[in-house]
Amino acid sequence: NAGVTQTPKFRILKIGQSMTLQCTQDMNHNYMYWYRQDPGMGLKLIYYSVGAGITDKGEVPNGYNVSRSTTEDFPLRLELAAPSQTSVYFCASRIGASDEQYFGPGTRLTVT
Amino acid sequence: AQSVSQHNHHVILSEAASLELGCNYSYGGTVNLFWYVQYPGQHLQLLLKYFSGDPLVKGIKGFEAEFIKSKFSFNLRKPSVQWSDTAEYFCAVKRSSNTGKLIFGQGTTLQVKP
């Protein structure tokens, strides 16, 4: 079991560029989540999904989009990168019967 | 809005010292409570969780936490810290009725000096 994997590990974007952060889990978990972690701010929920084809906004969804076409994958899309999106992004998943979320290793994104 | 507050942002201890990290939350209904740890360069891992029952919860690596409902608190404790406990610690709360969305505190960085 690889658990939750994220790619890339690091990325530098110029303002206005777009990119997709990939997240894959091999645990057959229904629920998946995207968080961003800013220094001294804890983790904030961006988007989440309760199953394939179903997504919903979290606390800070502006500037992001998601899709969930399969159980395994939950990519996060940044369309027009802005400096405010400089952060560390974590993907997480959980199975419906348990409330423990399993986290990926994170993607460190810098927008300049 | 629901919020989680961790009182200590940065804690420095010597090995063998006792640890207590504070966590308070603002939601008045039934909650599930979590402590996560992030070791340097690693992803978040669950230390312990409280859903119901005994308010004193034991987790991995000798950590424990006590849920005090009247104080809306879920403080993390360890009697004797080790250098390997150096990490960032996050308290998180989930309302029992929602879809598993966690609200995190801002985190506490613990530095243990050998």
Side-chain angles (χ1 to χ4, degrees):
Chain A
N1 252 357
V4 180
T5 56
Q6 292 182 238
T7 56
K9 285 190 168 57
F10 304 94
R11 184 71 186 269
I12 298 174
L13 281 182
K14 293 190 186 309
I15 295 171
Q17 286 185 319
S18 61
M19 77 163 293
T20 299
L21 282 67
Q22 301 292 347
C23 174
T24 300
Q25 53 90 10
D26 61 359
M27 298 174 283
N28 203 31
H29 285 177
N30 300 332
Y31 295 79
M32 295 187 74
Y33 305 86
W34 273 106
Y35 294 91
R36 57 178 288 172
Q37 182 184 22
D38 300 317
M41 299 292 289
L43 280 77
K44 301 289 186 187
L45 182 65
I46 305 171
Y47 269 95
Y48 68 100
S49 169
V50 302
I54 307 170
T55 63
D56 206 349
K57 296 177 180 178
E59 295 176 80
V60 290
N62 291 345
Y64 307 95
N65 277 303
V66 293
S67 59
R68 183 97 182 268
S69 56
T70 66
T71 299
E72 295 77 21
D73 300 306
F74 190 41
L76 177 72
R77 178 93 179 149
L78 283 71
E79 290 295 349
L80 290 170
S84 61
Q85 293 177 304
T86 293
S87 189
V88 181
Y89 291 83
F90 288 100
C91 180
S93 72
R94 75 177 176 101
I95 198 163
S98 164
D99 281 308
E100 177 178 354
Q101 291 189 20
Y102 294 83
F103 285 81
T107 294
R108 186 176 294 275
L109 175 67
T110 302
V111 182
T112 61
Chain B
Q2 189 177 0
S3 68
V4 179
S5 176
Q6 292 181 237
H7 317 301
N8 320 98
H9 296 294
H10 197 161
V11 174
I12 302 174
L13 294 173
S14 298
E15 274 193 317
S18 64
L19 170 72
E20 181 159 3
L21 301 182
C23 173
N24 285 89
Y25 62 94
S26 63
Y27 182 63
T30 303
V31 294
N32 302 138
L33 299 155
F34 305 81
W35 275 98
Y36 280 85
V37 61
Q38 187 177 25
Y39 297 104
Q42 296 187 27
H43 54 88
L44 277 80
Q45 303 168 43
L46 183 68
L47 261 184
L48 48 77
K49 60 186 177 184
Y50 172 80
F51 287 171
S52 63
D54 189 344
L56 185 61
V57 179
K58 293 195 185 301
I60 60 171
K61 303 186 180 186
F63 286 90
E64 63 179 31
E66 185 176 13
F67 170 50
I68 304 180
K69 190 174 181 180
S70 60
K71 295 186 178 179
F72 299 89
S73 71
F74 190 54
N75 292 355
L76 182 71
R77 299 195 292 248
K78 186 170 184 179
S80 176
V81 294
Q82 301 171 313
W83 176 79
S84 58
D85 293 324
T86 294
E88 191 156 16
Y89 293 81
F90 294 94
C91 180
V93 173
K94 182 184 85 66
R95 285 158 54 179
S96 297
S97 58
N98 74 6
T99 51
K101 292 184 285 185
L102 293 176
I103 306 296
F104 282 85
Q106 60 268 60
T108 297
T109 300
L110 171 65
Q111 184 182 351
V112 180
K113 294 183 174 178

